[in-house]
């Protein structure tokens, strides 16, 4: 049997990653986020691509206390010898509910251009997408936010950076047009959330929608470092995990 | 009950992370890796710190086919709808065997200075550390490599960058001195591996040894993106996961 | 805040689980599998229910080398100090591809009776279900097997036990009728696989389709014990994980 | 390459597990827990072994709200489509802190007999073990409990069942003697906890200490089913996960 990969190999004194010499071409020359780009696109990003990608992943990597980061802290409480388990537990909650929309937005936009052609005016395509969703009863992904209303500050910032760096492509423009039409229809401003914006900009960077979410998962892993650090720093007894567990024990009503 | 955190909070139109305004101070201004630094040190890295950290994490993030990345691909085979599970499965193998040394090196060095004082000459401290380990029968972490002999190309490169950027501190110097003495004792050059070098340099950057490994785990999550992408690109039937599974099925001798 | 649960509480000298006294009513009186039943149905199983459930879970818990058990072994290779990680990694591959069908079968059957009523003859309902799937292009879950053709020996055995213990209810009967009609249509015998049979019998036991898969996941965790044991017994060097990793390293063609 | 295993193989119409025909010898004839025994001991348990093992695993499988089951519920909140992730997240907290003692007790007892011989009177061996631990500053595992003082009701029950079924062997007797001496030394009754009792009884059943914990992990997976069921039954909005998350959001003091 012969397995194949484009990813990497090692010799006695060299390591190759996607065709690049790791020590000569990559270490000290590209950022951590660029390694994910390299994995997805099989080439190093340009300077602008690197800036854009880092901006997107910085935007998505930290959210304070979330079901994910709480699971990380509770897992650390029981298995402090195994920080990888704490990170893994935190990632497992990144399912369809919170992060899925990033993928669904990229898919919706990439599908729309494939289905309706690229020649039509965006206004028309946006309208077709909205109608299609309405008819099939499927939700439009990328809209709404429990806290950031009517504007998600990350969306504004990310679209501004995308504009500046040359990534305000057709996908972002289509998503903005869909947003415009929905707000018009509803007669009020609905939030175009950060997850939606990121899905659109990643689509404009040429990243396949099936891969988009794995970038977000990796960024979350980076964000979870801070949560482990905070548990380590305050010490077991004062840790969030321990305090939360104690609180729940004392405030549970058993109805068996 | 009132929980506390320094990590983050959101208001209607602002998000704060470690005291910084996410959209004003962080998005578009720092790299993804810097978010882990921010989490561990509670401040943004300097330009040199950012460069150093990115170099370290780029060095550790990808290793081609490893038990970790193989688990990621096999998990993706069974649960392609859940890329976070594939990444998590890949992280779970990052236990004591492969990545642990990074933490152990940082701990050994930070402990040595605490125990033996910082005034002694490094030569003496190195000798004390080696003897102590020998007496207790504990292994010296950070040495040896199955492929890269007698030099790990990443070690050379990372120490050169550390020198250039001003991070060739006492921890790296002590590790190098321990290395010199061991090679002298054994009469041959033992590899000072990348994991060891990274542990020492992170110690010189001021990062607590208990936290060092979580950086590596996060970097691995970034590296695993490429493995998911490759499975997606070649398609299920031709995927590494499927081919490996088929091969094992055909080549298993049952001795029940 | 007051959290609620029916599951369990402890006092100084008693532990209650679902209304039962753990030491008086459960320990030594019910089997491990019955604890899952208790969790799902909020009462202890009858003797026949216990026998049926144990039979179902014994049937599903072990499959030799699978992507799941291989991931468990590879994870153990890197993190032998953390067997829970090895088990968790093995569970993560239990996604839509291999185990999903159990849930889909139970859902299909429970939905069919809800939609088409319970008064119609099974022949008619089966035909409606098949047509509905055909029209919407959705696959019929529970059929086909790569090895066991044209009969899955577990299916035969499980349906016989169900018959004997009084669980050959409407769901199993409907699935068998669907099977009969498909085979007739195709002019050859298609395998009704074990996962399908289990889904139907669990539906006949009154277990909600949304919960069915978690039983299988728990059974898999039990099955993974054997794989960790085998790695422990043969020792690291001769372990499957190490040998597999070595083989892959030597047989990889790098096309970067 | 030829991989080996004693665990299982399939032919067209038969499945073998550890030398037994799955459909003829196992399904309908043994309990789920027995499959773990079969994996560890390579033979079916006797009737008494099966009763004992089921009693042990029933005792350990459910604990109400714990860091583990809370992580399961929080993970389900974010990824309801992936119950295996919820179970896996719950297992990852089963590290050294809560479950480790089971393994440590079995190891301590098995080591003691190997080191001090089996001929000495238990009183003497117990005293040697206690002194050894005291000198090396290592904790004695299996003692103490936050709630169950001075007696853990599960311990009493499990030792009674072990007595009745013929498993009150040297390991259990040594642990009880250690317990007696400690209480004497301290002048008060310290709890001999369930995890300790289970470690001793499993040692008396002949199960290797390195494998003991994987049984507990599997039992926990069974216990987590109930927690997923409860989240499913009350529905997303009223789920524990959602309510906990909301509560934390409203009660967090940001000190950035």
């Amino acid at each position: 049997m012969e397995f194949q990969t484009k990813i990497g190999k090692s010799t006695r004194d060299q390591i190759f990653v996607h065709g690049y010499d790791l020590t000569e071409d990559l270490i000290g020359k590209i950022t951590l986020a660029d390694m994910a780009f390299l994995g997805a696109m099989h080439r190093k990003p340009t300077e602008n691509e690197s800036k854009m990608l880092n901006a997107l992943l910085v935007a998505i990597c930290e959210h304070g206390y979330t079901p994910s980061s709480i699971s990380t802290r509770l897992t650390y409480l029981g298995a402090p010898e195994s920080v990888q388990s704490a990170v893994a537990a935190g990632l497992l909650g990144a399912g369809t509910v919170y992060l899925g929309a990033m993928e669904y937005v990229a898919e919706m936009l990439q599908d729309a251009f494939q289905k309706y052609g690229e020649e039509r005016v965006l206004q028309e395509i946006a309208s077709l997408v909205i109608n299609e969703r309405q008819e099939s009863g499927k939700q439009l992904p990328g809209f709404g936010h429990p806290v950031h209303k009517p504007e998600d500050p990350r969306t504004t910032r990310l679209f501004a950076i995308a504009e500046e760096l040359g990534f305000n492509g057709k996908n972002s423009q289509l998503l903005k047009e869909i947003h415009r039409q929905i707000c018009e229809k509803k007669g009020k401003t609905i939030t175009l959330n950060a997850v939606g914006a990121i899905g659109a900009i990643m689509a404009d960077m040429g990243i396949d929608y099936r891969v988009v979410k794995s970038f977000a998962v990796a960024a979350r892993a980076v964000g979870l470092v801070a949560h482990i650090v905070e548990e380590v720093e305050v010490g077991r007894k004062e840790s969030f995990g321990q305090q939360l567990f104690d609180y729940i024990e004392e405030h549970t009503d058993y109805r068996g």
Side-chain angles (χ1 to χ4, degrees), chain A residues 21 31 44 67 106 117 119 157 161 170 225 231 235:
Chain A
D21 182 314
T31 69
K44 285 202 281 188
E119 290 74 35
R157 182 85 179 101
I161 294 175
K170 63 181 182 187
V225 171
E231 296 295 274

Side-chain angles (χ1 to χ4, degrees), chain A residues 1-254:
Chain A
M1 174 90 221
E2 202 64 23
F3 300 104
Q4 289 167 16
T5 181
K6 290 180 187 162
I7 292 182
K9 77 162 172 188
S10 293
T11 66
R12 205 178 173 88
D13 51 13
Q14 281 186 299
I15 297 163
F16 292 94
V17 176
H18 281 285
Y20 297 94
D21 182 314
L22 177 66
T23 51
E24 291 304 309
D25 303 327
L26 304 179
I27 296 177
K29 305 219 164 131
I30 66 171
T31 69
L32 175 63
D34 299 337
M35 288 294 283
F37 186 95
L38 180 55
M41 308 295 277
H42 315 303
R43 62 168 177 83
K44 285 202 281 188
T46 63
E47 206 186 311
N48 277 5
E49 283 169 335
S50 173
K51 277 188 193 166
M52 189 73 244
L53 184 63
N54 273 291
L56 295 171
L57 299 185
V58 165
I60 204 75
C61 96
E62 175 61 73
H63 288 75
Y65 287 136
T66 59
S68 278
S69 62
I70 299 167
S71 294
T72 287
R73 290 172 182 245
L74 289 165
T75 301
Y76 183 80
L77 188 68
E81 71 285 358
S82 178
V83 290
Q84 72 275 9
S85 295
V87 175
L91 298 184
L92 290 176
T96 51
V97 179
Y98 300 115
L99 272 187
M102 190 179 305
E103 183 182 328
Y104 305 147
V105 165
E107 185 179 13
M108 173 179 76
L109 301 170
Q110 293 179 351
D111 278 3
F113 286 111
Q114 210 169 354
K115 196 167 169 187
Y116 301 120
E118 311 218 348
E119 290 74 35
R120 300 206 200 201
V121 287
L122 283 177
Q123 219 171 325
E124 200 185 338
I125 303 182
S127 164
L128 285 163
V129 169
I130 293 171
N131 288 341
E132 192 188 272
R133 294 267 160 170
Q134 217 153 10
E135 276 163 30
S136 66
K138 279 168 70 187
Q139 231 191 330
L140 271 167
F143 297 103
H145 197 279
V147 177
H148 304 306
K149 301 176 192 172
E151 193 181 310
D152 186 327
R154 296 164 299 178
T155 298
T156 320
R157 182 85 179 101
L158 289 171
F159 277 141
I161 294 175
E163 180 88 47
E164 188 191 316
L165 297 174
F167 298 105
N168 182 20
K170 63 181 182 187
N171 292 286
S172 298
Q173 287 166 28
L174 176 55
L175 185 63
K176 289 176 195 166
E177 175 60 21
I178 292 172
H179 183 223
R180 198 192 58 74
Q181 292 188 18
I182 296 171
C183 295
E184 205 176 70
K185 268 194 177 176
K186 305 230 175 188
K188 65 171 179 173
T189 305
I190 304 295
T191 306
L192 196 175
N193 61 42
V195 164
I198 293 171
I201 297 170
M202 289 189 83
D204 278 331
M205 293 178 78
I207 297 170
D208 190 306
Y209 76 85
R210 294 169 300 175
V211 174
V212 156
K213 195 177 149 190
S214 62
F215 278 81
V217 169
R220 284 290 171 91
V222 172
L224 292 170
V225 171
H227 293 268
I228 294 174
V229 169
E230 204 167 76
E231 296 295 274
V232 169
E233 283 182 350
V234 299
R236 183 168 186 80
K237 272 199 183 160
E238 302 297 318
S239 72
F240 171 84
Q242 185 66 57
Q243 292 193 332
L244 177 64
F245 179 36
D246 291 345
Y247 179 79
I248 292 169
E249 279 217 308
E250 284 155 28
H251 292 79
T252 293
D253 179 19
Y254 177 71

